[in-house]
Amino acid sequence: MRKKMIIMCLGVLLALPLCSLIIKFQPARAAATVAFDMGVTEIRYGDSVPLQVICEPEDVNGTAQFTSGNPDILRVNYDGTVTAMGLGEADITVTYQGAADTTRLTVVPSGLIIEKTEFVLSLSTTAQIEAYIFPSSVAVTYESSDTSVVTVNATGGITAVGKGAAVISVTAAGETLTVTVMVSGALNDLNANEKGCSAVGTAGFVAALALIVCAAGFKRRG
C-alpha cells in the first residue's frame, strides 16, 4: 500500500511541469472590440433609428448593451434602437465583453410642413397659413415680400390690403418655405361701380329737375 502511494505521488509530481507547460503555451484569446458604424449624426424629433455597431470577434458569446447619457433627449432600448424624445445632444454608449464605444447624436426638429401654399384673396379679406413643425415649441416666423399687398401677423394670419401678388416666407429651425398670395380688386371694383351708378343717378336727377324748372318758366311766360 505504501509503495502504491509513493508511485502515485511521483506521478503527480512528474505531471505538474507538463500541465504548466500546456497552460503556458496556450494561445491567448483575442480581446473583444466594439465600435459604432453610424452614417448619421442627426435624428429628427420623434424618429426612431437602429444603431449600427461592429463587434469582434463575432463568435464571442455575449450581447452588446446600450445606454443613453440623457434619456430625455435620446431613449435607447435593448436592441440599440434610439428614439428622439427632445431637442439637443446626447451620448450613446455600447459595451461588449468589456469593450466600449460612444457616439454623440443630435436631435433636430422635424421638417416644416405647410398645409396650403397658394391663396387667392379679394381686397380686405383674410386667411390663415397653417404651418406645422414638431415639437410645437419651435418658433415659426412669417414675413411678407410686399406689405402693401399682403400683411401677415406673428401667427400666420394674412390680410389682403392691395391689388397684386406677394410671397409669404415661413421659417422654422433654419428651414424656409413660401406661400404665394394673389389679391384681386373685386371689392374695389364693386365699390367703384356703386359710386359710378350713384353719380349717374345724381346727374339724371339734376337734369330732370332742370327740365321741370324750365317747363315751369315757359308756362309762366305764356
Side-chain angles (χ1 to χ4, degrees):
M1 184 69 179
R2 185 176 179 183
K3 188 176 181 179
K4 288 183 178 180
M5 290 293 295
I6 293 173
I7 294 173
M8 290 178 61
C9 289
L10 289 172
V12 170
L13 291 173
L14 292 173
L16 283 175
L18 181 61
C19 291
S20 64
L21 287 174
I22 293 174
I23 295 172
K24 184 177 181 179
F25 290 104
Q26 186 175 6
R29 194 174 194 178
T33 62
V34 62
F36 281 101
D37 184 25
M38 299 291 294
V40 298
T41 58
E42 292 184 347
I43 301 177
R44 289 187 181 274
Y45 176 86
D47 285 355
S48 294
V49 177
L51 296 174
Q52 303 296 325
V53 296
I54 299 174
C55 299
E56 293 182 353
E58 295 180 357
D59 61 346
V60 174
N61 293 325
T63 302
Q65 296 180 336
F66 300 88
T67 56
S68 172
N70 191 339
D72 291 334
I73 294 178
L74 284 174
R75 185 181 64 196
V76 60
N77 62 12
Y78 71 95
D79 66 355
T81 299
V82 293
T83 301
M85 307 296 294
L87 300 182
E89 295 180 338
D91 290 336
I92 302 296
T93 299
V94 57
T95 58
Y96 182 73
Q97 295 291 307
D101 191 26
T102 298
T103 187
R104 177 166 295 180
L105 299 175
T106 302
V107 179
V108 298
S110 65
L112 180 62
I113 299 172
I114 295 179
E115 191 172 284
K116 186 177 180 180
T117 58
E118 293 182 355
F119 290 87
V120 178
L121 303 178
S122 298
L123 277 171
S124 302
T125 59
T126 62
Q128 178 65 44
I129 297 174
E130 301 292 346
Y132 305 98
I133 192 168
F134 299 98
S136 58
S137 59
V138 176
V140 180
T141 60
Y142 304 85
E143 184 179 2
S144 173
S145 65
D146 191 343
T147 55
S148 67
V149 176
V150 177
T151 60
V152 59
N153 62 23
T155 58
I158 56 177
T159 302
V161 296
K163 292 183 182 180
V167 175
I168 307 298
S169 297
V170 185
T171 303
E175 181 179 6
T176 299
L177 299 180
T178 58
V179 176
T180 302
V181 183
M182 300 289 296
V183 180
S184 66
L187 292 182
N188 262 7
D189 292 344
L190 179 59
N191 291 336
N193 290 336
E194 290 176 350
K195 290 179 181 178
C197 291
S198 177
V200 171
T202 302
F205 175 78
V206 171
L209 182 60
L211 289 173
I212 292 172
V213 171
C214 289
F218 281 121
K219 283 182 180 181
R220 286 180 184 178
R221 289 179 184 178

